[in-house]
Amino acid sequence: GENVEQHPSTLSVQEGDSAVIKCTYSDSASNYFPWYKQELGKGPQLIIDIRSNVGEKKDQRIAVTLNKTAKHFSLHITETQPEDSAVYFCAAIRSSNTGKLIFGQGTTLQVKP
Amino acid sequence: EPEVTQTPSHQVTQMGQEVILRCVPISNHLYFYWYRQILGQKVEFLVSFYNNEISEKSEIFDDQFSVERPDGSNFTLKIRSTKLEDSAMYFCASILRDRGAGTEAFFGQGTRLTVV
């Protein structure tokens, strides 16, 4: 079945340190992997995404890596800042017609000043 | 910047009552979704809607649920007879095109439904 596992559930880092969140997916037909940031009282907002034909993508302090063989993908945030504190969700879309997102459980990131 | 808007932000209802959650997707988007998030849990897919019909629904989306796009702009989720376990945050989302790989889903800010 379709499932995405995300770890850790909570992550606390000091400002300036790096944070890494990992996800695994079960459906080998998944081919698009977005990461969403959810701040309190708001809906999920896309921060970065990666397609299955790419191994790594970077956008300033944020990077995502994908290992298709192992069905793993990870979010890396460098030089963390207090405003990075939020809940982060990974997700996967399989190559179907509906664009349905399968979400991970979420990671609460706390960046301590 | 265009955004998905949802109303109300918070809805409290008695068990057994009907509720309608409303969404205005981004105007030129073609694919529409409802997701829900029970407190402390993951975001779960409920239903996808394209070309005025449901394209996929989850096991959660039983006969008590329905969706409608009545006027070309609003997209509604109706729960006919609410249960306590329907209490959750409900998110509407829309995608412009190419509902498969590579297209960003835009989410609304959510409606918190509390069934008492």
Side-chain angles (χ1 to χ4, degrees):
Chain A
E2 303 162 323
N3 191 40
V4 176
E5 295 290 331
Q6 182 173 346
H7 301 280
S9 56
T10 59
L11 180 59
S12 182
V13 300
Q14 286 296 133
E15 182 177 359
D17 287 351
S18 294
V20 180
I21 303 171
K22 299 182 179 182
C23 290
T24 59
Y25 60 97
S26 60
D27 188 347
S28 56
S30 298
N31 55 4
Y32 174 63
F33 307 92
W35 284 88
Y36 285 87
K37 177 182 182 182
Q38 186 180 23
E39 296 175 325
L40 201 61
K42 297 185 180 179
Q45 185 170 21
L46 181 76
I47 55 170
I48 195 167
D49 55 15
I50 192 167
R51 302 184 189 193
S52 59
N53 59 349
V54 175
E56 184 173 356
K57 183 176 177 180
K58 193 171 181 181
D59 183 3
Q60 298 181 14
R61 297 186 297 108
I62 297 173
V64 58
T65 58
L66 172 65
N67 182 329
K68 280 175 55 180
T69 304
K71 296 182 190 171
H72 289 171
F73 58 114
S74 300
L75 177 72
H76 304 253
I77 306 174
T78 58
E79 300 171 28
T80 52
Q81 300 166 4
E83 51 265 38
D84 294 329
S85 296
V87 180
Y88 291 81
F89 290 97
C90 62
I93 292 181
R94 68 183 312 198
S95 50
S96 68
N97 289 328
T98 70
K100 172 179 76 174
L101 286 162
I102 305 297
F103 282 91
Q105 294 90 333
T107 296
T108 301
L109 174 63
Q110 181 186 27
V111 180
K112 298 177 183 175
Chain B
E1 184 177 319
E3 59 181 11
V4 176
T5 56
Q6 289 184 243
T7 54
S9 57
H10 191 191
Q11 173 91 46
V12 181
T13 188
Q14 295 276 344
M15 190 169 56
Q17 294 296 305
E18 175 183 286
V19 293
I20 297 176
L21 309 184
R22 302 180 191 279
C23 169
V24 179
I26 296 173
S27 62
N28 59 341
H29 283 195
L30 301 176
Y31 300 87
F32 314 110
Y33 307 84
W34 284 100
Y35 292 83
R36 80 170 185 191
Q37 184 180 30
I38 294 172
L39 189 63
Q41 298 186 23
K42 67 165 70 177
V43 178
E44 301 174 289
F45 168 79
L46 291 178
V47 65
S48 60
F49 192 85
Y50 168 68
N51 201 24
N52 285 320
E53 61 182 20
I54 290 173
S55 48
E56 186 174 357
K57 59 184 180 180
S58 73
E59 292 175 353
I60 303 167
F61 195 89
D62 61 21
D63 292 344
Q64 293 300 310
F65 291 85
S66 62
V67 289
E68 199 175 38
R69 189 161 159 79
D71 57 10
S73 64
N74 291 286
F75 179 51
T76 62
L77 174 70
K78 183 193 291 187
I79 309 175
R80 266 181 267 283
S81 178
T82 50
K83 308 184 191 84
L84 294 176
E85 53 264 39
D86 293 328
S87 296
M89 183 73 91
Y90 288 80
F91 292 106
C92 173
S94 67
I95 292 177
L96 172 59
R97 59 177 174 83
D98 292 340
R99 63 281 185 201
T103 301
E104 179 179 356
F106 289 81
F107 283 80
Q109 79 280 17
T111 292
R112 178 166 297 286
L113 176 65
T114 303
V115 182
V116 297

